[in-house]
């Protein structure tokens, strides 16, 4: 059965576009059933037909809690199999996380548990890291702290600034997210008691990025 994906996005939406392109190309058996944003001006929203867009701000909803409740109701009403944070820049409330536990995924631009939170590329440079990358993980109440499903690594090169490093990471984010979504869409991915399972086998170390299918 074609998996129903709800996408949460705050900005550019290049990860969303990678999902849409893979669906069109027939390499991801899924359907984007809604794009949900905390920023009505987000470019991500423009990537889907108007009927699939939902955008509110905490201000227009009357506060943080009301916003998260409205977001949760809208997401639930779309009946998703999976909820994917793809550049969603707000912290989700524990209630929201609980409501969608086990089917809430996030892509984060670092090799978690390194560099949780913001400005990950600059922080990797300042830490003198030789490697940096991206992680896809299940969302739990702890910020960027849920179990990691897969990671893609890139080298940090001499002369890199945060923008150069961000671009190198973004190039691996898209295939990494698709790799995980293919597992999710095929019913092969699960989370139980804080552990990732693929094909009902526990995953002890994050899966590496697979090379592109021929
Ligand atoms: C991506 O690099 C994603 O990993 C990051 O925001 C960017 C969104 O790009 N997410 C976070 O930092 C979440 N804490 P996109 O809008 O082009 O997909």
């Amino acid at each position: 059965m074609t998996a129903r994906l709800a996408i949460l996005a705050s900005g550019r939406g290049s990860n969303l576009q990678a999902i849409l392109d893979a669906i069109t190309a027939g390499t991801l058996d899924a359907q984007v059933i809604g794009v949900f944003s905390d920023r009505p001006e987000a470019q991500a929203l423009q990537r889907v037909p108007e009927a699939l867009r939902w955008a509110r701000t905490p201000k227009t909803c009357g506060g943080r809690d009301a916003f998260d409740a409205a977001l949760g109701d809208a997401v639930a009403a779309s009946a998703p199999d999976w909820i994917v944070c793809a550049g969603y820049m707000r912290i989700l409330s524990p209630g929201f996380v609980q409501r969608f536990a086990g089917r809430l995924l996030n892509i984060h631009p670092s090799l978690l548990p390194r560099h949780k939170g913001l400005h990950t590329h600059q922080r990797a440079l300042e830490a003198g890291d030789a490697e940096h990358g991206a992680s896809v993980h299940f969302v739990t109440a702890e910020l960027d702290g849920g179990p990691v499903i897969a990671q893609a690594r890139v080298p940090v090169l001499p002369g890199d600034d945060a923008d150069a490093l961000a671009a190198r990471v973004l190039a691996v984010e898209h295939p990494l997210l698709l790799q995980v979504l293919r597992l999710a869409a095929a019913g092969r991915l699960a989370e139980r008691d804080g552990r990732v399972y693929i094909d009902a086998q526990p995953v002890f170390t994050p899966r590496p990025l697979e090379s592109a299918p021929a």
Side-chain angles (χ1 to χ4, degrees):
M1 252 210 338
T2 300
R4 297 171 62 82
L5 306 181
I7 311 295
L8 273 53
S10 301
R12 177 178 53 187
S14 73
N15 277 286
L16 165 62
Q17 191 62 51
I19 293 169
L20 294 168
D21 291 347
I23 291 170
T24 303
T27 57
L28 175 64
D29 184 12
Q31 185 189 356
V32 171
I33 44 101
V35 174
F36 302 82
S37 187
D38 59 324
R39 294 188 53 225
E41 71 281 14
Q43 198 189 334
L45 291 163
Q46 304 301 322
R47 298 180 188 270
V48 293
E50 202 170 345
L52 300 187
R53 300 176 198 158
W54 183 96
R56 305 271 192 284
T57 64
K59 211 170 162 184
T60 58
C61 286
R64 267 196 62 152
D65 292 350
F67 171 82
D68 258 24
L71 174 66
D73 288 348
V75 168
S78 71
D81 296 307
W82 293 91
I83 300 95
V84 185
C85 299
Y88 186 67
M89 302 308 285
R90 288 185 62 79
I91 295 173
L92 293 164
S93 66
F96 186 98
V97 172
Q98 184 58 40
R99 190 168 178 181
F100 301 105
R103 51 197 179 111
L104 187 52
L105 303 172
N106 180 45
I107 182 153
H108 181 77
S110 80
L111 295 172
L112 291 171
R114 286 187 75 72
H115 309 308
K116 296 176 180 178
L118 298 175
H119 312 301
T120 58
H121 309 301
Q122 187 60 38
R123 285 161 57 210
L125 289 172
E126 283 165 10
D129 293 356
E131 264 193 331
H132 186 44
S135 307
V136 179
H137 64 96
F138 279 102
V139 176
T140 61
E142 189 199 336
L143 177 68
D144 299 327
V148 179
I149 304 157
Q151 280 183 331
R153 296 170 179 275
V154 299
V156 179
L157 299 178
D160 271 351
D161 60 14
D163 287 346
L165 191 51
R168 195 174 306 121
V169 170
L170 191 67
V172 296
E173 282 189 37
H174 299 163
L176 185 75
L177 183 57
L178 291 174
Q179 177 180 323
V180 172
L181 290 180
R182 285 188 194 102
L183 291 172
R188 298 174 57 193
L189 178 67
E191 185 255 344
R192 215 170 45 240
D193 299 331
R195 186 172 297 292
V196 175
Y197 289 79
I198 296 176
D199 296 327
Q201 300 300 313
V203 171
F204 295 102
T205 48
R207 290 276 180 104
L209 176 62
E210 289 163 0
S211 45

